[in-house]
Amino acid sequence: MQGAWLRIGIGYDIHRLVEGCKLVLGGVEIPHHKGLLGHSDADVLLHALIDAVLGAAALGDIGRHFPDDDSQYKNISSLILLEKTCRLVMRGGFAVQQLDTVIIAEQPRLAAYIPQMRANISRTLKLNISMINVKATTHEGLSPIGK
Ligand code: MG
């Protein structure tokens, strides 16, 4: 691993919630009448995580490595993008050691799906599940995000 320094990255993502799209979060397809619009599977949780991992390694952002006008990423599972990201940072001498995430969504309720999200991330990053946290909260109906 490069140096003895702990590096920390942050990530943020938002996608439009629309009818006729799948809702995929943390690699879990969640039954809901609306889903997230995007070029890939629009998995905002994994996109934010990818940005955090790239950020910690000073390797730019998701758009630089997986541009949304590149047809090879059309409808791709973001778990594949996360795996590619993991390989990228490993080439730089880094390894993800621990991560914490938060999903903001008014609906549906996500608690039941969080164990599978953590398992998917654990498998993809080859990281012990005890080092992976996923939280979900609402925006209490406040501001455009809450509505
Ligand atoms: Mg995104």
Side-chain angles (χ1 to χ4, degrees), residues 104-109 137-142 145-147:
I104 300 171
E106 299 303 304
Q107 50 173 281
R109 295 203 57 90
T137 188
T138 72
H139 218 259
E140 296 286 341
L142 298 169
I145 292 173
K147 292 184 172 56

Side-chain angles (χ1 to χ4, degrees), residues 13-15 40 42-44 47-48 62:
D13 196 20
I14 189 165
H15 281 243
S40 65
D43 189 327
V44 280
H47 290 185
I62 189 170

